Amino acid sequence: MPSVQDSVFEGSVVYLCEHNTRGALGIVINHPTDITVASLLDKIDLTVSGDPDLNPLHKMPVMSGGPVQEDRGFVLHEPAGNYSSSLKVTTDVAFTTSRDILEAVAGGTGPDRLLVSVGYAGWGAGQLEKELLANNWLTVQANTEILFDLPLEQRFEAAIRLLGIDPWMLAAEAGHA
């Protein structure tokens, strides 16, 4: 919700990757860090192929995916592919945590569309449901255009507009009858 005043989740769009009886896991897709994918790959001794002026990895920011395991990298990508440690989110989108995807990205053979993050957002069993009941979150159908193509600063408003409403017209309190 636009009214959330939490330093981690204020103005966040979270792509939910898994939700079951044990809890939920997602990636914040609109809060960039100050490092690029190319510089992150360089830090783990992977060299990005191609001309630095032409390769988009040199400009693509790494997202601050959430407050859990902020020292680990996570990749949302399309197509799903066959990487060592992947969670298939949809038929086309996967969440991968293994080094082999980073090697493929650095070598120019990785997925066509990707978002790299450090950290993820996690909720324990029933926690996300309680936050939804408290009117802390809005839910919308996942949209790969918002996830991969839209400029970061447009993702929050675009996600809310999927509901057919203006984000700044939302009230902080839910109505009760």
Side-chain angles (χ1 to χ4, degrees):
M1 288 290 287
S3 60
V4 169
Q5 299 294 312
D6 180 287
S7 63
V8 174
F9 292 113
E10 182 177 3
S12 291
V13 178
V14 179
Y15 186 86
L16 203 57
C17 300
E18 184 173 50
H19 183 222
N20 57 39
T21 57
R22 295 181 317 223
L25 175 146
I27 298 290
V28 176
I29 66 166
N30 65 326
H31 289 183
T33 65
D34 58 355
I35 60 174
T36 65
V37 172
S39 63
L40 175 71
L41 293 172
D42 187 55
K43 288 179 190 223
I44 59 170
D45 298 323
L46 294 174
T47 303
V48 175
S49 66
D51 184 343
D53 292 330
L54 301 176
N55 192 319
L57 298 177
H58 288 278
K59 293 183 181 120
M60 181 184 293
V62 172
M63 294 296 113
S64 177
V68 182
Q69 292 190 353
E70 293 176 293
D71 59 337
R72 290 199 55 206
F74 303 92
V75 182
L76 277 171
H77 56 93
E78 182 184 74
N82 290 319
Y83 299 100
S84 301
S85 242
S86 286
L87 168 69
K88 200 167 192 180
V89 180
T90 69
T91 55
D92 298 320
V93 177
F95 171 80
T96 300
T97 60
S98 51
R99 182 178 173 95
D100 59 345
I101 191 168
L102 298 175
E103 291 168 347
V105 167
T109 62
D112 298 330
R113 299 163 88 191
L114 66 119
L115 180 142
V116 178
S117 79
V118 288
Y120 69 89
W123 294 265
Q127 183 182 0
L128 182 57
E129 291 81 355
K130 288 177 186 172
E131 291 181 14
L132 287 166
L133 287 172
N135 202 39
N136 291 332
W137 296 98
L138 288 173
T139 59
V140 299
Q141 186 70 34
N143 180 294
T144 55
E145 181 182 335
I146 292 172
L147 173 62
F148 295 118
D149 302 332
L150 216 54
L152 301 178
E153 64 278 1
Q154 295 176 19
R155 292 178 181 184
F156 180 75
E157 189 171 317
I160 293 176
R161 287 194 184 278
L162 290 175
L163 295 171
I165 55 177
D166 185 324
W168 309 115
M169 300 300 287
L170 292 170
E173 297 290 321
H176 298 282

